[in-house]
Amino acid sequence: MTTYTLAFKPAIGLYGQHDPSAALFEDGDLVFAVEEERLSREKHAVDTFPERAIRAALDHAGIDLPAVDRVLLPYDPSLRSNILPHYVRDAVRVDGALRKVTAVENVVKTQLESRFAPTRRIESRLADIGTPVPPIETRPHHACHAASAFHPSGFDEALVVTIDAKGEYDATVVWHGDEDGLERVRTYEHPNSLGLFFAAITEYLGYRMFNGEGKVMGLAPYGEDDPDIERTLRSLVDTGVDYDVTELTRRWGTGYGVRRLEAAFGRDRNDAPEAFTQWEQNLAHTAQKLLEETVLDIIERHAEVAGTANLAVAGGVALNCKLNKRLRESPAVDELFVQPAAHDAGLALGAGLLDQRPSQVPTMETVYHGPSYDTGDIRTVLEMNKIAYSEPGDVERHIAERLADGALVGWFNGRLELGPRALGNRSILADPRSIDSRDRVNRFVKHREEWRPFAPSMLESAVEEYLVDGERAPFMISAFDVRPEKRDEIPAALHPADDTTRPQTVSARQNPRYHRLISEFEALTGVPVVLNTSFNDHAEPIVNTPTEALKDFFGMGLDVLVLQDMVVTKTDAAVKREARSVESL
């Protein structure tokens, strides 16, 4: 008899504010996972219960909620009491007797709610989906991050490090993983949070926390060492294995940290992050440098004690691909696995894996865990909306020819990816050989800052030819140096400031159709690489449905759209007509 485990991460109350998701396991095997934002169409699905994601998971298996044997939540409210001393100390620091009393009352209220309210609230929301509600169990936040990294890594033993803004009370945790599971080695407690440190820098530079950190990482290579900036920033934080960033992170959120940065630098926060001064670029460079310095020291010190050179990483900070490059290149690390959904959306995976023996969990090869759409249904949408399409006998060859001619292509195929990267199923593709491709995608397709780089998808067999110390990298989550003699072949897929790249390597085993497309492009051009960015407009989640793909296609500067076996191209008349309305699937 099949057993079902539903794991999901809400974004309500104590469960955090962003990136809710749901995952379904059949007899312990992951069969479906999706982020709520892909269904709600609200970026990060802030302050949202993942009802759509839960329903999609149940629909995939053809079951209703009562058929689920247990529900797992990747947050243990009982652990919140560990953070009480900090909040009490922070409350009594507040100026003014009335404000001090109010602050203490809020601390007490929050602690009571964390003990008694959360699970009841979840039960109530689940009852709207189906009754009776299955038993609900909780798992510690950082333990779920750790399981999401270690269990599917393929390692028998590893050092595991989880780094984010905050779990129940912890912000960075070092673990030892082996065949028996995970053992906590060291805990850095909130508010000593590297995630909040980088979030404060992000907000100071004009972006939003939990959304703009990747932009700051991308900005960093444009900067350079600035002794005055570094001296000031180091006066606020201590780096290394015993780091302390609480001078910027003492209170939850980033307002306090931004004010401290404004006072220290004598400059107001940037309110217009469309363009950056050299000083702001240098600040991003310095913040990235201090983050890398700290995490590298934590890992190198603990790897020596743990006696293993395998490293697994998760938590929102692990999405920093420049940091991951430094970790991969460390002499202390032989093998690195970074959970591709390292942010909070990956917690549902970890919750479902945590109780399993790591050796029984398959190595993660892909992240194609979301919804898919039948070719016949897609054809119905096209015909119902009177959208002209063709069905070439060899779609991959046809699209490779269009890419080689300079076309910008929307590529929609198979199951939706989990995580922040499009990996060849919901992608926008272009010719990597021309800087013009990069600039056109930024300006006319993604409608974003023109300084931001793009990444390549390359055949796995070409890794050593193009990358320095190249290795298999299927999840586009670590940066690499590109061999100097190959840079002129793929300029559109390099970071303009340092000539690094964040590749996805593609094998026939991993994604046969995408592999064949890139192979056909190589046959035409001699270059086994395509530029690949996520299929979405600026500030929008990656598209999920064919209808969303069509709407973005007609609203963007794309030339061609591939929907499974069908190809749609633009004419001026079609753009005017189809942009008005596309019926949903």
Side-chain angles (χ1 to χ4, degrees):
M1 182 177 177
T2 301
T3 60
Y4 291 100
T5 298
L6 174 67
F8 64 89
K9 191 268 180 186
I12 54 174
L14 298 171
Y15 295 93
Q17 298 174 318
H18 58 284
D19 296 322
S21 64
L24 186 68
F25 296 80
E26 290 184 4
D27 296 328
D29 295 328
L30 176 66
V31 295
F32 186 89
V34 69
E35 293 158 77
E36 181 73 10
E37 68 161 25
R38 309 290 166 81
L39 308 175
S40 71
R41 308 310 300 159
E42 296 292 333
K43 190 71 172 175
H44 298 297
V46 177
D47 295 330
T48 302
F49 183 79
E51 180 174 343
R52 296 174 183 84
I54 292 169
R55 290 185 183 276
L58 298 174
D59 288 346
H60 177 82
I63 61 173
D64 54 18
L65 185 63
V68 172
D69 295 274
R70 61 175 182 164
V71 171
L72 300 179
L73 300 177
Y75 191 92
D76 184 350
S78 69
L79 297 176
R80 286 274 298 183
S81 59
N82 293 348
I83 209 171
L84 179 60
H86 160 69
Y87 282 127
V88 171
R89 287 193 299 269
D90 195 53
V92 299
R93 288 194 189 105
V94 173
D95 295 332
L98 181 59
R99 293 178 63 195
K100 195 185 302 289
V101 169
T102 301
V104 172
E105 287 177 345
N106 286 338
V107 169
V108 173
K109 178 182 177 183
T110 300
Q111 289 299 317
L112 290 173
E113 288 177 347
S114 70
R115 275 304 184 106
F116 302 111
T119 302
R120 290 201 298 268
R121 187 176 181 186
I122 296 298
E123 288 175 344
S124 175
R125 297 301 298 267
L126 285 174
D128 293 336
I129 298 174
T131 56
V133 173
I136 299 174
E137 304 172 22
T138 61
R139 298 289 183 269
H141 179 103
H142 269 267
C144 292
H145 271 318
S148 79
F150 176 62
H151 286 54
S153 67
F155 298 147
D156 295 327
E157 181 183 22
L159 181 72
V160 185
V161 181
T162 55
I163 316 168
D164 65 5
K166 181 175 71 67
E168 297 86 359
Y169 69 98
D170 34 12
T172 300
V173 184
V174 180
W175 310 78
H176 178 257
D178 61 20
E179 61 183 6
D180 294 321
L182 292 157
E183 178 185 4
R184 189 182 286 250
V185 175
R186 179 169 182 178
T187 300
Y188 300 78
E189 296 189 0
H190 173 80
N192 195 17
S193 166
L194 293 174
L196 283 180
F197 159 70
F198 211 74
I201 298 292
T202 298
E203 291 266 356
Y204 183 62
L205 286 170
Y207 290 118
R208 291 187 295 110
M209 68 182 295
F210 303 144
N211 183 66
E213 285 85 351
K215 299 176 184 178
V216 174
M217 176 197 70
L219 183 66
Y222 291 99
E224 56 191 31
D225 286 339
D226 184 318
D228 290 337
I229 290 176
E230 186 164 338
R231 187 183 310 111
T232 301
L233 202 51
R234 287 188 186 277
S235 74
L236 296 172
V237 302
D238 296 327
T239 60
V241 68
D242 297 316
Y243 77 87
D244 185 351
V245 296
T246 55
E247 188 60 30
L248 293 178
T249 62
R250 187 170 293 160
R251 296 175 187 168
W252 175 246
T254 57
Y256 176 82
V258 169
R259 291 191 294 273
R260 292 291 292 120
L261 290 168
E262 289 177 326
F265 288 117
R267 292 169 176 256
D268 291 340
R269 75 185 293 272
N270 180 18
D271 288 325
E274 290 80 20
F276 292 94
T277 65
Q278 188 61 50
W279 188 91
E280 290 162 335
Q281 293 171 10
N282 292 351
L283 175 61
H285 170 87
T286 306
Q288 178 72 24
K289 176 181 178 179
L290 269 56
L291 176 69
E292 292 176 6
E293 178 182 305
T294 299
V295 178
L296 199 62
D297 198 31
I298 291 171
I299 283 164
E300 290 180 344
R301 299 283 193 95
H302 286 94
E304 183 178 353
V305 174
T308 177
N310 295 328
L311 174 64
V313 187
V317 175
L319 293 178
N320 190 306
C321 66
K322 297 290 189 183
L323 168 63
N324 295 336
K325 178 178 186 290
R326 290 291 306 279
L327 300 182
R328 194 188 69 251
E329 293 172 346
S330 169
V333 177
D334 285 346
E335 298 289 340
L336 172 66
F337 178 81
V338 182
Q339 167 53 240
H343 57 321
D344 274 9
L347 286 167
L349 301 184
L353 297 174
L354 184 60
D355 296 339
Q356 300 187 44
R357 290 189 65 83
S359 60
Q360 297 175 343
V361 176
T363 301
M364 182 171 279
E365 298 284 347
T366 73
V367 290
Y368 308 125
H369 303 307
S372 62
Y373 297 88
D374 182 78
T375 298
D377 292 333
I378 297 172
R379 182 179 290 107
T380 297
V381 169
L382 292 169
E383 294 178 352
M384 182 172 60
N385 288 279
K386 298 181 173 57
I387 297 174
Y389 66 92
S390 63
E391 295 185 75
D394 189 337
V395 173
E396 292 80 11
R397 178 72 180 189
H398 175 72
I399 296 303
E401 291 171 349
R402 294 301 308 272
L403 288 169
D405 288 339
L408 304 181
V409 176
W411 179 263
F412 183 105
N413 183 67
R415 296 185 69 176
L416 174 68
E417 300 94 332
L418 178 72
R421 309 286 175 241
L423 299 173
N425 280 6
R426 303 289 189 278
S427 291
I428 291 170
L429 308 178
D431 187 342
R433 299 173 298 164
S434 167
I435 291 292
D436 180 62
S437 293
R438 182 193 71 202
D439 293 343
R440 287 172 60 214
V441 175
N442 261 332
R443 187 176 306 168
F444 302 119
V445 177
K446 301 288 279 190
H447 305 119
R448 66 180 200 175
E449 304 92 332
E450 294 191 18
W451 55 265
R452 290 175 61 186
F454 289 108
S457 294
M458 66 173 57
L459 297 182
E460 189 176 294
S461 57
V463 164
E464 294 184 3
E465 181 184 358
Y466 279 81
L467 304 179
V468 176
D469 297 323
E471 60 185 43
R472 182 174 174 270
F475 301 124
M476 201 180 277
I477 203 165
S478 182
F480 288 77
D481 292 317
V482 177
R483 294 188 180 279
E485 67 274 16
K486 290 296 183 181
R487 292 172 187 168
D488 288 343
E489 291 187 10
I490 56 170
L494 302 181
H495 194 297
D498 62 7
D499 288 329
T500 60
T501 196
R502 184 191 65 196
Q504 173 201 8
T505 61
V506 182
S507 68
R509 178 187 67 257
Q510 167 195 351
N511 191 326
R513 191 169 198 186
Y514 194 39
H515 179 269
R516 184 163 185 273
L517 169 65
I518 302 172
S519 299
E520 291 290 347
F521 185 79
E522 179 188 26
L524 290 167
T525 66
V527 177
V529 180
V530 296
L531 182 153
N532 170 22
T533 188
S534 56
F535 198 158
N536 61 286
D537 205 344
H538 179 67
E540 174 189 73
I542 296 173
V543 300
N544 169 33
T545 69
T547 299
E548 291 156 8
L550 282 162
K551 287 181 177 179
D552 271 6
F553 172 65
F554 286 115
M556 290 175 161
L558 292 172
D559 303 302
V560 181
L561 173 63
V562 180
L563 295 170
Q564 311 279 71
D565 299 322
M566 285 151 284
V567 176
V568 181
T569 58
K570 282 181 180 172
T571 65
D572 290 340
V575 172
K576 292 176 183 177
R577 182 181 69 251
E578 308 306 343
R580 288 197 294 267
S581 175
V582 177
E583 296 294 330
S584 65
L585 174 61

